[in-house]
Amino acid sequence: MKRNKSFAVIGLGRFGTSVARTLSRLGYEVLAIDTKEERVQQVADEVTHTYIADTTDENSLKALGIRNFDVVVVAIGEDIQANVLTTLLLKDLGVKYIVAKARNELHGKMLEKIGADRVVYPERDMGQRVAHNLVSTNVLDYIELSPDLSLIETSAPRCLVGKTLAEARLREKYDANVVAIKRGDQIIVPPNPGEKIQAGDVLIVVGRNGGLQKLEELE
Ligand code: ADP
């Protein structure tokens, strides 16, 4: 099934390739672009169209009809200058929605100023996830919602097993809200205060970072 939103992905490093492949598997039209032929070849069988081009060249972008894509992802990594220049040209050409990958906060700020509609920090986000998982083996996933608020997916600590959510008093103690419980194939959302936490449960918790950190330390 082809879905009707179209995407162009520029820069087929690890990140860009993964984005292009995933969108294609989800059924979307994907144009994959890179300066290097071998990078383009690697995804050629999996995406709708490919193109070898340097996207810092305005004429190449025009020739591609890049404006006609609903979303353009700038996944050029190492070469910050090419990443910024490409974003700038896309904006000038009137691309509707630009997602750009940033290497650091300063780079991200620059992309926002230029007019990227969404800036992503894959290395930073993955680094945070891995760090939280290293600090607490219970933590399976971590997403920063704002500088102060986060969402974690954590295996239920042993000390909470057998308690109901009301008895666990996570809100009072840690300012943490259990928004869902994963139990095998089942997802309990929203869970009742009377729901008893079982061994093997995965808790999805939203809260302030300080409180969540204490929750992560429970065993
Ligand atoms: P990652 O860290 O995600 O692996 P890389 O920086 O290694 O990202 O890869 C970025 C890709 O972007 C490379 O394949 C590179 O050839 C491509 N690229 C770099 N500059 C341009 C450009 N001006 N136009 C198109 N593609 C480019």
Side-chain angles (χ1 to χ4, degrees), residues 10-16 33-36 39 53-56 75-79 82 86 101 123:
I10 301 172
L12 304 171
R14 286 154 302 177
F15 175 69
I33 307 163
D34 202 289
T35 39
K36 296 197 188 113
R39 290 285 168 104
D54 180 344
T55 55
T56 59
I76 298 170
E78 245 154 75
D79 189 344
T86 298
K101 163 178 150 165
E123 276 94 1

Side-chain angles (χ1 to χ4, degrees), residues 96-150:
K96 285 177 250 139
Y97 197 86
I98 304 169
V99 180
K101 163 178 150 165
R103 295 193 59 181
N104 54 51
E105 304 282 334
L106 190 62
H107 181 199
K109 276 207 180 116
M110 199 148 58
L111 290 168
E112 274 168 23
K113 278 255 153 62
I114 296 169
D117 299 281
R118 182 155 169 214
V119 177
V120 293
Y121 301 85
E123 276 94 1
R124 182 198 66 185
D125 294 352
M126 199 58 202
Q128 286 176 342
R129 283 183 186 167
V130 172
H132 279 269
N133 177 260
L134 290 174
V135 172
S136 163
T137 46
N138 282 333
V139 175
L140 306 168
D141 205 352
Y142 168 91
I143 297 170
E144 189 181 272
L145 301 174
S146 77
D148 193 30
L149 273 179
S150 302

Side-chain angles (χ1 to χ4, degrees), residues 84-100:
V84 170
L85 192 52
T86 298
T87 306
L88 190 66
L89 290 173
L90 293 173
K91 191 72 193 169
D92 270 357
L93 289 170
V95 169
K96 285 177 250 139
Y97 197 86
I98 304 169
V99 180

Side-chain angles (χ1 to χ4, degrees), residues 5-211:
K5 214 172 188 184
S6 60
F7 294 84
V9 179
I10 301 172
L12 304 171
R14 286 154 302 177
F15 175 69
T17 299
S18 169
V19 170
R21 273 201 183 120
T22 306
L23 287 169
S24 195
R25 281 181 197 155
L26 289 170
Y28 291 96
E29 180 189 344
V30 177
L31 166 68
I33 307 163
D34 202 289
T35 39
K36 296 197 188 113
E37 185 177 354
E38 67 268 22
R39 290 285 168 104
V40 167
Q41 284 304 336
Q42 270 177 4
V43 296
D45 292 344
E46 293 169 83
V47 300
T48 332
H49 318 279
T50 55
Y51 204 81
I52 301 165
D54 180 344
T55 55
T56 59
D57 172 23
E58 193 173 358
N59 291 325
S60 300
L61 283 179
K62 279 191 185 149
L64 273 168
I66 201 84
R67 278 195 56 185
N68 301 323
F69 287 84
D70 296 306
V71 179
V72 180
V73 181
V74 182
I76 298 170
E78 245 154 75
D79 189 344
I80 293 190
Q81 190 174 322
N83 168 302
V84 170
L85 192 52
T86 298
T87 306
L88 190 66
L89 290 173
L90 293 173
K91 191 72 193 169
D92 270 357
L93 289 170
V95 169
K96 285 177 250 139
Y97 197 86
I98 304 169
V99 180
K101 163 178 150 165
R103 295 193 59 181
N104 54 51
E105 304 282 334
L106 190 62
H107 181 199
K109 276 207 180 116
M110 199 148 58
L111 290 168
E112 274 168 23
K113 278 255 153 62
I114 296 169
D117 299 281
R118 182 155 169 214
V119 177
V120 293
Y121 301 85
E123 276 94 1
R124 182 198 66 185
D125 294 352
M126 199 58 202
Q128 286 176 342
R129 283 183 186 167
V130 172
H132 279 269
N133 177 260
L134 290 174
V135 172
S136 163
T137 46
N138 282 333
V139 175
L140 306 168
D141 205 352
Y142 168 91
I143 297 170
E144 189 181 272
L145 301 174
S146 77
D148 193 30
L149 273 179
S150 302
L151 178 150
I152 59 168
E153 196 177 308
T154 177
S155 303
R158 234 172 313 155
C159 63
L160 297 182
V161 171
K163 289 186 177 162
T164 64
L165 285 179
E167 287 161 355
R169 297 179 58 230
L170 300 180
R171 200 171 290 161
E172 292 92 321
K173 285 194 203 155
Y174 309 110
D175 206 2
N177 297 283
V178 178
V179 293
I181 299 177
K182 283 198 209 171
R183 182 172 295 153
D185 293 337
Q186 201 190 354
I187 296 192
I188 305 159
V189 55
N192 290 320
E195 188 66 50
K196 206 175 253 185
I197 299 168
Q198 299 181 6
D201 278 359
V202 171
L203 311 179
I204 315 236
V205 188
V206 172
R208 307 216 169 267
N209 295 338

